[in-house]
Amino acid sequence: MIIDAIQEYITAYHNLSKAITNDQEKQYFVEHADVSKATDLLENLISSKTMLQPAFELLLKINKEEALYIVKSWYLSRNISRAITDPVEDLDIIFTDIKEILGEEELDKLLKNKKFLKKNMKNKIIKRRLREAIRFAKEED
């Protein structure tokens, strides 16, 4: 039973990996997806960090408000210095996607958001890593 479930997972993961990185598949998804259902599924992938980058990219394209809400609530408005997992590691790619898909103005607006917890900038390591993520996104073209 477990062996079958593992095999099904590996097969599904492989199929998802091929589909979610295929430009034609992504374009079809953006144009035809049921936004409500797709948003729930993409949020699940993002929260489980399963193919976070392509899932976040798709979410930005189909539901900008929800994608930005995730960044604000999961990353910027909570004390990430106390997080068990490393939430900063993905921000360089997330910020870059926001800039590339929504534009630099939208990224700047997000970074100036009052929900950005100042406590995170008091932690030297978090502050340095956040600045690196921001610099990476700003310099990427």
Side-chain angles (χ1 to χ4, degrees):
M1 181 77 177
I2 292 176
I3 195 80
D4 294 334
I6 293 170
Q7 186 58 53
E8 287 176 29
Y9 172 81
I10 291 170
T11 301
Y13 186 89
H14 177 71
N15 291 339
L16 176 60
S17 178
K18 283 178 28 183
I20 205 167
T21 57
N22 179 291
D23 290 336
Q24 290 175 316
E25 292 272 354
K26 290 191 298 186
Q27 188 61 38
Y28 184 85
F29 179 87
V30 168
E31 293 172 359
H32 298 96
D34 172 331
V35 173
S36 177
K37 183 178 181 181
T39 296
D40 289 342
L41 294 170
L42 291 169
E43 283 179 350
N44 189 289
L45 290 176
I46 293 165
S47 67
S48 68
K49 294 196 175 217
T50 303
M51 298 185 210
L52 183 142
Q53 192 279 328
F56 186 77
E57 175 189 340
L58 288 172
L59 187 58
L60 269 175
K61 290 178 177 180
I62 66 162
N63 193 338
K64 164 191 157 182
E65 291 78 19
E66 190 61 28
L68 294 176
Y69 173 77
I70 286 172
V71 176
K72 290 173 191 172
S73 64
W74 292 4
Y75 293 98
L76 303 185
S77 65
R78 69 179 190 156
N79 185 352
I80 57 180
S81 66
R82 298 177 151 224
I84 294 170
T85 59
D86 184 4
V88 182
E89 71 181 333
D90 307 313
L91 284 177
D92 54 352
I93 293 169
I94 288 172
F95 290 161
T96 300
D97 280 348
I98 292 169
K99 179 184 149 196
E100 289 177 356
I101 295 167
L102 303 179
E104 193 158 354
E105 281 183 35
E106 195 70 42
L107 175 62
D108 290 340
K109 192 166 98 176
L110 173 75
L111 295 174
K112 292 175 184 170
N113 189 294
K114 297 206 183 301
K115 291 186 177 187
F116 201 139
L117 195 64
K118 300 297 180 205
K119 187 181 288 188
N120 290 325
M121 295 308 276
K122 290 181 182 176
N123 179 306
K124 289 180 183 179
I125 295 169
I126 299 293
K127 181 179 180 178
R128 178 181 52 79
R129 294 187 61 220
L130 282 170
R131 284 190 172 161
E132 287 171 1
I134 293 165
R135 189 175 5 218
F136 179 82
K138 295 269 188 176
E139 292 173 359
E140 276 295 299
D141 279 325

